[in-house]
Amino acid sequence: MKRSSSFVALISLAAAATLALGACASPSSTSGGSTSEGKLKANSLAAIKESGVLTVGTEGTYKPFSYHEDGTGELTGYDVEIITAVADKLGVKPKFEETQWDAIFAGLEAGRFDVIANQVSINDERSAKYDFSKPYTVSPGVIVVKDDNTDITSFADLAGKTTAQSLTSNWYELAQKNGANVEAVEGWAQAVALLEQGRVDATVNDNLTFLDYQKQKGDTGLKIAAETDDPSLNAFVFAKGNTELQQAVDKALDDLRADGTLAKISDKYFGSDVTQ
């Protein structure tokens, strides 16, 4: 039977519509779970062991955690040494991919690297989107004063005292909450200079910041007067659901903590064990 031109046109239109619908449906059927699963599989423990490489996202400009000595030397730092020791426990080599902080989580999500090693603090917002290893850095907030200061032994003692703080930091909020008169500064270097000159009574900051300063300068004439009860916990970061890799890294951290490796690396950079 001979088909009319109108019938042929109708069939052509139907076919075109089917193709169009198929084209629209195709991305949604492949861009969801299957794409994420593909990236996760590529960054899985089995894939890493098969390749022999653990790809690590880090800044490379964040001293003393991840940096280049003198700006041009090999990548080194506290986090770099710890993740290198972890990779050794896994039987693979670390490959570092340096990226800016603003892009580091996007890189993990895109599968550019297997893990982030960059002193990332665990919080509720991040935990909802990513998986974390066991903490390898435990650091409370501290009040730093001169060695001969006996007036400040607790955060309550900051009331009426003058502290030097960056106005954009959470340490400013903590000092102000406890009644301190805050002298605005740009950062730690200016704050500690004012403290050493006797122009302020104290400064509040992260324990790691003070330990690093003390390690670099030696006898600073400063001491820790008090510390917070809720320390910051920093850990390695994985894509959500990368459970086998997370568990393997946790096991490696347990072994490195037990054999003293973590404490040794910590002492090298901070003169103290900040790993537990």
Side-chain angles (χ1 to χ4, degrees):
M1 174 178 170
K2 186 177 178 181
R3 295 173 181 169
S4 68
S5 59
S6 60
F7 179 79
V8 173
L10 182 62
I11 294 298
S12 298
L13 286 171
T18 302
L19 287 172
L21 287 171
C24 291
S26 180
S28 62
S29 65
T30 59
S31 63
S34 60
T35 300
S36 298
E37 289 169 6
K39 290 176 182 175
L40 197 60
K41 185 176 181 180
N43 298 94
S44 68
L45 179 63
I48 290 165
K49 288 199 169 185
E50 183 178 354
S51 69
V53 176
L54 178 70
T55 306
V56 183
T58 194
E59 282 184 272
T61 57
Y62 187 22
K63 193 173 183 177
F65 307 104
S66 168
Y67 66 101
H68 293 269
E69 195 68 65
D70 299 323
T72 57
E74 289 188 10
L75 184 69
T76 187
Y78 172 71
D79 286 54
V80 171
E81 290 203 25
I82 290 183
I83 196 63
T84 297
V86 166
D88 185 61
K89 286 288 184 181
L90 297 180
V92 298
K93 298 291 184 181
K95 176 186 177 185
F96 294 96
E97 293 285 348
E98 296 179 41
T99 187
Q100 294 180 344
W101 171 256
D102 291 345
I104 204 165
F105 290 100
L108 181 69
E109 293 170 6
R112 283 180 49 207
F113 27 80
D114 309 308
V115 60
I116 296 173
N118 205 79
Q119 279 297 294
V120 181
S121 297
I122 302 173
N123 61 33
D124 292 340
E125 181 182 359
R126 290 173 183 158
S127 295
K129 298 175 66 176
Y130 310 101
D131 287 337
F132 284 86
S133 70
K134 292 180 178 180
Y136 59 90
T137 308
V138 179
S139 182
V142 295
I143 303 173
V144 181
V145 299
K146 298 187 77 170
D147 279 340
D148 59 0
N149 187 309
T150 58
D151 295 332
I152 300 174
T153 58
S154 70
F155 279 86
D157 291 335
L158 291 178
K161 302 296 193 300
T162 302
T163 71
Q165 311 295 152
S166 167
L167 297 184
T168 59
S169 73
N170 57 324
W171 308 122
Y172 159 72
E173 295 177 5
L174 183 59
Q176 189 180 55
K177 179 181 177 181
N178 283 278
N181 302 312
V182 177
E183 177 82 16
V185 295
E186 294 182 358
W188 166 256
Q190 190 177 354
V192 76
L194 292 179
L195 178 58
E196 290 172 338
Q197 294 163 12
R199 294 168 59 185
V200 298
D201 301 303
T203 185
V204 182
N205 212 297
D206 185 271
N207 184 48
L208 290 179
T209 301
F210 173 70
L211 292 177
D212 177 51
Y213 181 74
Q214 195 172 46
K215 179 73 174 177
Q216 300 300 321
K217 299 294 183 180
D219 184 9
T220 61
L222 304 176
K223 67 179 181 181
I224 293 175
E227 62 181 46
T228 58
D229 295 327
D230 53 341
S232 174
L233 304 177
N234 301 309
F236 300 125
V237 192
F238 311 91
K240 201 72 174 175
N242 204 348
T243 308
E244 288 187 356
L245 178 59
Q246 175 195 7
Q247 291 176 345
V249 170
D250 281 348
K251 174 63 166 58
L253 286 171
D254 285 343
D255 292 344
L256 293 167
R257 185 172 284 109
D259 67 19
T261 300
L262 293 187
K264 182 178 179 181
I265 295 172
S266 177
D267 185 68
K268 174 181 175 180
Y269 287 93
F270 302 108
S272 178
D273 186 3
V274 300
T275 66
Q276 55 190 342

